[in-house]
Amino acid sequence: MRTLHITAAAVLLAACTPKAETKTAAAPGGAASAPAAASTLTHKSFEALAPVDVAPLRTSWTPADLTAACDEAQKTSDKRFAEVVAIPDAKRTFANTPLAMEQIGTDFGITVARLSFMKDIHTDEKVRAAAAECEENAGKYAVQLSARKDLYLAMKGWQNGAGKTEKLDDQDQRLVFFAMRDFHRAGLDLSDADRDKLVKIRQRLAELQTKFARNLDEDKSSITATKAELAGMQDDFIKRLEKTKDGKYVLTTKYPDYYPIMENAKNAELRRRMQVAFMNRGMPENPKLEDEAVALRDQAAKLLGYASHADYATEVLMAKNAKTVAAFESKLQDSLKPRLQRDTAKMEELKGKDTHGKDRKITSWDWRYYLNQIKKNDYALDDEAVRAYFPADRAVNGMFEVYQRLFNIKFQEVPIKDAWADGVKLYEIHDQPSGRLLAKFYVDLYPRPGKYGHAASFDISLARETESGYQIPLSVLVTNFNPPSNGQPAHLSVDEVDTLFHEFGHVMHMSLTTARYSSLAGSNVARDFVEAPSQMLENWVFEPEVLALISQDPKDPKKTIPEDLVKKVVATRTFDSGVKYTRQVFLGEADQYLHTHGDKVDSDRECARLWDETMGFKQDPNEHFCSTFGHPMGGYDAAYYGYLWSLVFASDMFTRFQKEGVLNPQTGRAYRDAILAKGRTQDPDALLREFLGRDPNEEAFLKLAGIKSS
């Protein structure tokens, strides 16, 4: 998931990382129109507020126009914040100070996010460059805002005056709490000199993170292969590849080429070359950018009095500190060791047969291939053969049907006047049976040059209450699935269908919120909880009644995936849990190590060492994993552990659906109301208790991971 949101007083420092936006109505040029600084909102229930439509994304930018709009957003924000600062303390109210700051920060975040999102999807390289520069500049500006003493004193002035007598409800109180907490974390308690130093550090971090992401998005690396070297690959895969003048096939390092090669190519040398090319994206600059970022984060944490950046980052998350994360990762790694050893032994047996006993050692370019062979041998399941049962359109429409049934909603495709690429679609979400407009979202499924290279959901416009009603959210689902080719429709693997359900789960989290303020709305929750709602929805991919909705028999379109194949798909869900979850432990531990060992960390070396120690699969010396590890440079710094942490809660939440029915609309509505709708208006543990009717536990996760519970 990727997001960019500026909270009250622009103090959520995640605003310095790639995120998406929040909005009222659009002014000319796609910028957000600003409500008056001294808003006079009277709180109503969500149901009593009329929905306010959201403007579509504008993509018809020239680089100059985009840059000008970005600059204007800062000027408008400065002017409006100056009006707040100028209010005498005796006349401050919740409406003209805390709430005004929230609205100003939200409007700025919306405008900038709409502009900076162009760096991830626009087809014009110059526009992408201008958008990247906008994101970088906006990140620097957000850092300045977060450390402005006059804004902090304005909040204190309200607190010491009207703040003592005004009656605030729970959401109002949380808005103030988070704003004041984040002012502290932005260094407002430091000396002027140290605060200035902190601002410079975080502004430089904004530059580094944008450059790191852009290096990956713009990477054009590829390798070539002969027809003989492509043994094991499907004919449809080979037919869609471009050729060089001497007849060789071009393989890019984009997902639709990388994963099929690593999982199916029999030629080990081809897999090795692909692995090296994939792990060299962003080289040689990205490791240097990451090392500098790690050093600066450590320096910033020390300035604020924290032992490490990990302690700073986790303080506001469910884990609370780096020690808790370390214990979680260590316990999980120890529990997974028997499963990893079992998986590795099976792979080594297969490789030994392939090499006639000459080499059994599994390498970084072997494990995906041999896990796929285990799936074929032990479960008689060929991923490429199964792919034929999941045409992309059928999978997407079937997924829509699942979510519509579960959450009492209806999706409706609407025309796009300014699509940024062929195949992009726009949908409305309506409540059922009321018909109320709840949200809008775009879908962009296939890769192209310069596009964001992974799968993600972008929260372009978080919801909020306005004087006109309830501003609906806007989000974008971005994937890079194998595209249609040679007149044939696109087809998805089971893993890609899983990814689709996961990322669309984030869209649901963004879309079905009822929170009053953008900084409390949708998926704007603790980073180590944000994945749980979407991870929970991955479970549907492995339910027979859902598989029937998202599949189609290639020989007879009236039929769906056969029952015997369904059983195999379900059976293989956890066959590789030792490797899969241990790899997640490695990613979390690498992220934590980088952010708990001072300001002289060599990320390239330490990532290689931790891979060897955790996974034990030999790497090529020319691999540079940290060059491609985008999460620590994209908002998940010291928080990657959250994927497994969240999975514990996701697995537990699914147990209620298992008991009451995976397509039970009453249970789905309860989940929508208790988890998706509330955003950050309550702490995650309270949301979990409300939905589960008890405290959460880890039993379901231990079963999923194949670990026996004590």
Side-chain angles (χ1 to χ4, degrees):
M1 192 189 103
R2 305 261 293 196
T3 41
L4 167 63
H5 179 57
I6 314 273
T7 62
V11 293
L12 184 64
L13 291 178
C16 301
T17 65
K19 242 182 164 191
E21 27 173 345
T22 358
K23 172 165 192 74
T24 50
S33 63
S39 176
T40 56
L41 285 175
T42 56
H43 297 322
K44 298 179 180 179
S45 68
F46 171 79
E47 291 75 16
L49 293 167
V52 178
D53 203 356
V54 63
L57 276 169
R58 173 186 166 183
T59 61
S60 57
W61 294 102
T62 66
D65 286 345
L66 192 149
T67 299
C70 195
D71 292 342
E72 184 60 31
Q74 292 189 25
K75 293 176 183 177
T76 300
S77 176
D78 280 338
K79 180 181 178 181
R80 295 174 67 198
F81 276 125
E83 293 171 355
V84 173
V85 169
I87 298 171
D89 284 352
K91 294 185 177 181
R92 293 196 180 280
T93 64
F94 175 78
N96 69 24
T97 302
L99 178 55
M101 289 185 180
E102 162 76 3
Q103 301 287 34
I104 298 167
T106 294
D107 287 338
F108 174 74
I110 289 168
T111 304
V112 168
R114 285 177 169 260
L115 300 170
S116 62
F117 180 57
M118 295 300 106
K119 84 173 178 37
D120 293 302
I121 52 88
H122 207 279
T123 55
D124 187 323
E125 184 175 1
K126 293 180 180 179
V127 172
R128 293 197 301 271
E133 183 178 3
C134 175
E135 179 180 87
E136 182 179 312
N137 291 337
K140 293 178 182 179
Y141 177 74
V143 171
Q144 286 181 319
L145 286 179
S146 70
R148 275 181 55 173
K149 199 165 187 176
D150 56 351
L151 296 178
Y152 172 69
L153 292 175
M155 286 285 287
K156 291 290 290 183
W158 167 78
Q159 279 190 319
N160 294 331
K164 294 181 178 180
T165 58
E166 285 189 277
K167 293 183 179 180
L168 306 182
D169 67 11
D170 290 345
Q171 290 194 49
D172 295 338
Q173 291 180 41
R174 283 179 77 80
L175 183 73
V176 174
F177 169 78
F178 287 128
M180 296 308 292
R181 182 198 70 183
D182 292 343
F183 271 126
H184 163 72
R185 287 167 59 80
L188 267 298
D189 299 326
L190 299 176
S191 67
D192 289 347
D194 281 348
R195 189 170 66 255
D196 288 345
K197 185 176 180 180
L198 185 64
V199 167
K200 288 183 173 63
I201 286 173
R202 287 178 167 164
Q203 287 182 328
R204 176 59 179 163
L205 282 168
E207 295 177 13
L208 298 172
Q209 292 169 172
T210 298
K211 289 178 181 177
F212 189 99
R214 183 159 169 76
N215 286 343
L216 292 179
D217 286 351
E218 298 295 335
D219 185 87
K220 297 179 175 64
S221 57
S222 64
I223 63 173
T224 60
T226 64
K227 181 67 177 293
E229 289 175 322
L230 291 171
M233 304 307 299
Q234 293 279 329
D235 288 341
D236 287 344
F237 174 87
I238 297 173
K239 286 178 182 177
R240 72 167 176 77
L241 298 176
E242 294 183 7
K243 283 187 176 183
T244 63
K245 292 180 180 179
D246 60 356
K248 291 184 177 180
Y249 293 89
V250 177
L251 298 165
T252 72
T253 52
K254 303 299 183 185
Y255 281 13
D257 288 357
Y258 172 74
Y259 283 106
I261 289 292
M262 300 309 295
E263 293 172 358
N264 296 285
K266 295 180 179 180
N267 188 303
E269 175 58 18
L270 175 62
R271 297 198 306 270
R272 186 197 66 78
R273 290 195 292 117
M274 175 60 94
Q275 177 74 356
V276 170
F278 188 79
M279 293 301 176
N280 272 268
R281 293 172 298 141
M283 284 293 290
E285 189 177 15
N286 274 10
K288 298 174 186 176
L289 298 176
E290 181 140 37
D291 287 351
E292 185 179 352
V294 167
L296 291 174
R297 290 182 189 128
D298 182 74
Q299 294 167 24
K302 300 288 174 55
L303 273 174
L304 291 166
Y306 296 88
S308 68
H309 176 69
D311 283 306
Y312 167 82
T314 54
E315 178 189 45
V316 296
L317 305 183
M318 293 182 74
K320 302 303 182 187
N321 56 65
K323 183 179 179 181
T324 300
V325 176
F328 170 74
E329 296 277 15
S330 178
K331 178 183 177 182
L332 194 53
Q333 183 178 359
D334 288 343
S335 300
L336 285 166
K337 279 182 180 177
R339 290 296 304 251
L340 177 62
Q341 291 169 352
R342 189 194 72 177
D343 291 352
T344 303
K346 283 189 174 183
M347 290 189 290
E348 288 177 340
E349 181 181 358
L350 290 177
K351 185 172 181 180
K353 291 179 180 178
D354 284 350
T355 62
H356 305 289
K358 294 179 181 178
D359 183 11
R360 294 169 54 89
K361 193 69 174 175
I362 298 299
T363 67
S364 63
W365 57 93
D366 284 335
W367 65 273
R368 294 186 191 278
Y369 175 77
Y370 283 107
L371 283 179
N372 195 26
Q373 299 310 302
I374 292 172
K375 188 184 290 186
K376 292 178 181 179
N377 294 342
D378 292 4
Y379 299 91
L381 191 67
D382 185 336
D383 279 343
E384 292 306 305
V386 174
R387 182 188 291 272
Y389 287 90
F390 296 103
D393 287 347
R394 171 76 173 190
V396 171
N397 291 332
M399 178 185 70
F400 285 174
E401 176 62 24
V402 169
Y403 284 106
Q404 287 176 138
R405 288 193 198 181
L406 275 177
F407 300 139
N408 310 122
I409 53 179
K410 184 72 175 178
F411 301 128
Q412 180 180 332
E413 186 177 353
V414 294
I416 306 179
K417 294 181 180 179
D418 192 18
W420 56 85
D422 291 341
V424 173
K425 295 182 179 181
L426 175 64
Y427 296 86
E428 294 178 345
I429 304 177
H430 293 264
D431 181 58
Q432 295 297 307
S434 72
R436 177 191 176 113
L437 178 63
L438 297 174
K440 291 182 178 180
F441 65 91
Y442 291 92
V443 175
D444 183 356
L445 296 179
Y446 304 113
R448 58 183 176 273
K451 180 185 172 183
Y452 177 73
H454 304 279
S457 52
F458 293 78
D459 53 345
I460 300 302
S461 177
L462 291 174
R464 61 172 166 173
E465 179 183 333
T466 71
E467 291 176 334
S468 303
Y470 195 79
Q471 177 65 61
I472 69 167
L474 176 69
S475 54
V476 184
L477 174 66
V478 175
T479 63
N480 282 275
F481 297 143
N482 216 331
S485 64
N486 301 313
Q488 296 298 312
H491 287 78
L492 308 184
S493 68
V494 173
D495 285 345
E496 288 172 331
V497 175
D498 187 288
T499 296
L500 183 68
F501 269 71
H502 174 96
E503 294 301 341
F504 197 66
H506 285 307
V507 172
M508 291 293 93
H509 200 180
M510 299 169 197
S511 299
L512 301 181
T513 186
T514 60
R516 179 181 303 145
Y517 302 117
S518 291
S519 57
L520 305 180
S523 57
N524 197 18
V525 298
R527 184 65 77 181
D528 55 0
F529 181 69
V530 72
E531 299 297 333
S534 52
Q535 287 173 326
M536 198 278 289
L537 292 159
E538 293 178 39
N539 289 286
W540 272 254
V541 177
F542 301 93
E543 292 296 319
E545 56 192 301
V546 173
L547 283 167
L549 289 172
I550 62 177
S551 65
Q552 184 178 76
D553 191 319
K555 297 179 180 178
D556 185 350
K558 295 181 181 180
K559 296 181 179 179
T560 62
I561 188 169
E563 184 177 349
D564 64 328
L565 202 50
V566 168
K567 291 179 180 178
K568 292 176 183 178
V569 168
V570 174
T572 59
R573 184 182 184 189
T574 59
F575 85 99
D576 59 349
S577 61
V579 173
K580 178 167 63 177
Y581 294 121
T582 303
R583 181 174 176 271
Q584 286 297 305
V585 169
F586 154 70
L587 295 171
E589 288 187 337
D591 177 38
Q592 285 293 303
Y593 186 94
L594 296 180
H595 294 107
T596 54
H597 283 74
D599 63 356
K600 297 287 191 297
V601 178
D602 183 333
S603 61
D604 193 36
R605 182 184 65 200
E606 296 304 334
C607 281
R609 178 184 63 80
L610 287 166
W611 173 270
D612 290 340
E613 292 179 0
T614 308
M615 300 300 298
F617 302 156
K618 174 187 172 183
Q619 301 175 84
D620 187 287
N622 294 310
E623 289 185 47
H624 301 280
F625 170 77
C626 267
S627 174
T628 71
F629 192 17
H631 287 79
M633 296 293 281
Y636 275 78
D637 44 288
Y640 192 93
Y641 75 91
Y643 278 96
L644 281 177
W645 181 281
S646 295
L647 188 56
V648 173
F649 303 119
S651 302
D652 199 18
M653 286 190 288
F654 183 58
T655 61
R656 181 171 171 185
F657 285 95
Q658 287 177 307
K659 293 176 183 176
E660 299 174 11
V662 295
L663 291 178
N664 185 323
Q666 287 75 38
T667 311
R669 182 69 203 213
Y671 178 77
R672 171 182 163 182
D673 292 342
I675 304 295
L676 301 181
K678 292 189 176 179
R680 195 165 57 149
T681 61
Q682 293 178 250
D683 290 336
D685 53 352
L687 304 183
L688 289 164
R689 280 195 295 270
E690 178 180 345
F691 179 67
L692 292 169
R694 56 169 172 79
D695 288 333
N697 63 60
E698 62 183 10
E699 294 303 311
F701 170 73
L702 295 176
K703 290 181 181 179
L704 178 67
I707 303 170
K708 289 185 178 180
S709 171
S710 58

